[in-house]
Amino acid sequence: MFKILRRLAMTAGLALAVPTTSSAADLFTPHGLYNSALISDLSGGSKTGTVAVGAVHAQLFTDATPLGVPGLSLFLDGLGSYGGAPDALIGDAQGVSAIAAPPALRLYEGWLQYARDGVSILAGQYDLNSEFYRLASAGLFLNSAFGIGPEYAQSGVANPSLFPDPSLALRLAYKPADAVVLRLAVLNERALDHGGSDGALFIGELALLDRSDALPPGESRARVGRNAGLPAYENKLALGAWYDSKGNPDAFGPGNHHAAGAYAIGDVLLGTLGSGKLTGFAQLGISDGRVGRFGAYLGAGLTAVGLVAGRPNDELGLAVARAQNGAHFRSFQDSLPGLEPRDAETTL
């Protein structure tokens, strides 16, 4: 049964990055980032209204090369979040805003990385969506599902290591060739400030990337990991899988299960439009529907960049996200009197 989430919402967003100038010999590079959105439910949903959400990042990047340690770097990201809860207005389950978070000041990310000769080892507080399950074309869209599919983002009790509360992680990245990246990570199940017992989450991804801006021979393979300074890709295909070693209670029934799933994502340059370009992306994910609400997810979209001459950074896009309820959640709906069961939530 195909059900569309009935809502009419108006969203205005603002993103501002404020880098500082630095020379090659500088040890510390500060960076600021501000994202905000004004979200209105104009009709339907749970109730009409308007909320503002925002996130301010104060970042510090340290390159230890001037100290004689080539390849070693430190990254710190302090996060200040504010605003209301747009999902409470709209009544959606996937998350209408990827930057909505409880008001707080916190350390968002803090990690050390050693990256050299095609190998990167990273350890610390780490957002897995900064590298895993990530598509450039999907970055235009505000909905959480276009950042990482809800079949994985909403799995388990504490959810994986994502915004706004990443957990401790150890991540290995390896480039056997210029266009191939293999990533593996083991992450704590809960963020440091969350109570409860801990378990280990495992995730792996194989990505194939095509970059138009060629680097000198061997340099593309040598650069890997966060802040690698690589040119933007034109085409990407990635396959990933994840597993929860600890296990979590069945969300809608008895028993304890080890959540697991897999995903495939793709980002393709479809063609040029005058001085601009048209890209398309797709996401497909499956998971254990006994642990979380969703057992499958499908997302797709088109993004046009630079359609107006003289404005190369403007973007226009259309995307759809469909999250399929798992079998246990559908059974739970059937047990509630007076509730119309729904197989899925679809957002345009």
Side-chain angles (χ1 to χ4, degrees):
M1 182 169 55
F2 186 85
K3 292 292 185 179
I4 294 181
L5 179 65
R6 291 172 293 186
R7 64 184 174 105
L8 177 60
M10 177 178 67
T11 303
L14 170 68
L16 177 65
V18 186
T20 62
T21 59
S22 61
S23 67
D26 288 342
L27 182 60
F28 301 102
T29 303
H31 194 86
L33 180 66
Y34 174 56
N35 294 295
S36 69
L38 187 67
I39 301 173
S40 295
D41 188 313
L42 304 180
S43 176
S46 298
K47 59 181 179 180
T48 59
T50 299
V51 297
V53 296
V56 181
H57 294 262
Q59 301 171 340
L60 183 66
F61 174 73
T62 301
D63 185 353
T65 300
L67 297 180
V69 190
L72 185 65
S73 61
L74 167 69
F75 181 75
L76 299 173
D77 187 346
L79 169 66
S81 54
Y82 69 88
D87 298 325
L89 297 179
I90 296 169
D92 69 312
Q94 295 184 64
V96 71
S97 172
I99 63 171
L105 293 173
R106 57 174 69 85
L107 177 64
Y108 174 50
E109 285 195 295
W111 44 256
L112 276 170
Q113 176 183 240
Y114 178 79
R116 198 172 184 186
D117 298 330
V119 177
S120 167
I121 302 173
L122 182 150
Q125 191 161 309
Y126 165 76
D127 184 343
L128 70 87
N129 193 215
S130 63
E131 295 180 306
F132 293 87
Y133 213 134
R134 186 174 182 87
L135 293 173
S137 295
L140 169 65
F141 303 98
L142 298 177
N143 303 68
S144 297
F146 296 121
I148 187 167
E151 87 291 350
Y152 183 35
Q154 298 184 14
S155 64
V157 174
N159 303 332
S161 180
L162 298 171
F163 177 91
D165 291 311
S167 58
L168 294 178
L170 178 64
R171 191 273 289 136
L172 172 67
Y174 171 60
K175 292 182 76 171
D178 287 355
V180 181
V181 182
L182 175 63
R183 298 185 181 95
L184 301 170
V186 55
L187 310 104
N188 211 33
E189 188 177 56
R190 299 176 186 270
L192 289 175
D193 58 350
H194 288 191
S197 59
D198 294 328
L201 296 174
F202 297 91
I203 184 171
E205 181 181 287
L206 175 65
L208 309 176
L209 303 104
D210 171 36
R211 304 183 191 275
S212 60
D213 297 331
L215 293 171
E219 186 172 344
S220 177
R221 180 188 173 276
R223 295 190 186 186
V224 64
R226 296 282 294 272
N227 301 316
L230 288 165
Y233 68 78
E234 286 191 343
N235 302 289
K236 176 179 180 178
L237 173 65
L239 303 174
W242 49 273
Y243 176 74
D244 169 23
S245 67
K246 178 176 179 291
N248 289 299
D250 190 317
F252 306 101
N256 193 71
H257 308 285
H258 293 273
Y263 61 87
I265 55 176
D267 202 346
V268 180
L269 176 62
L270 299 175
T272 58
L273 300 170
S275 59
K277 63 180 181 179
L278 178 66
T279 63
F281 72 88
Q283 308 159 289
L284 175 63
I286 57 173
S287 67
D288 189 337
R290 299 171 298 179
V291 179
R293 169 172 175 172
F294 298 118
Y297 167 73
L298 176 64
L302 298 171
T303 302
V305 183
L307 294 181
V308 180
R311 301 191 60 85
N313 298 317
D314 286 358
E315 296 181 309
L316 176 67
L318 175 66
V320 58
R322 186 176 192 271
Q324 180 77 32
N325 291 326
H328 282 208
F329 182 79
R330 294 197 299 271
S331 298
F332 172 72
Q333 289 185 110
D334 290 337
S335 68
L336 299 177
L339 179 67
E340 179 186 359
R342 303 198 175 213
D343 287 342
E345 176 183 274
T346 300
T347 299
L348 293 171

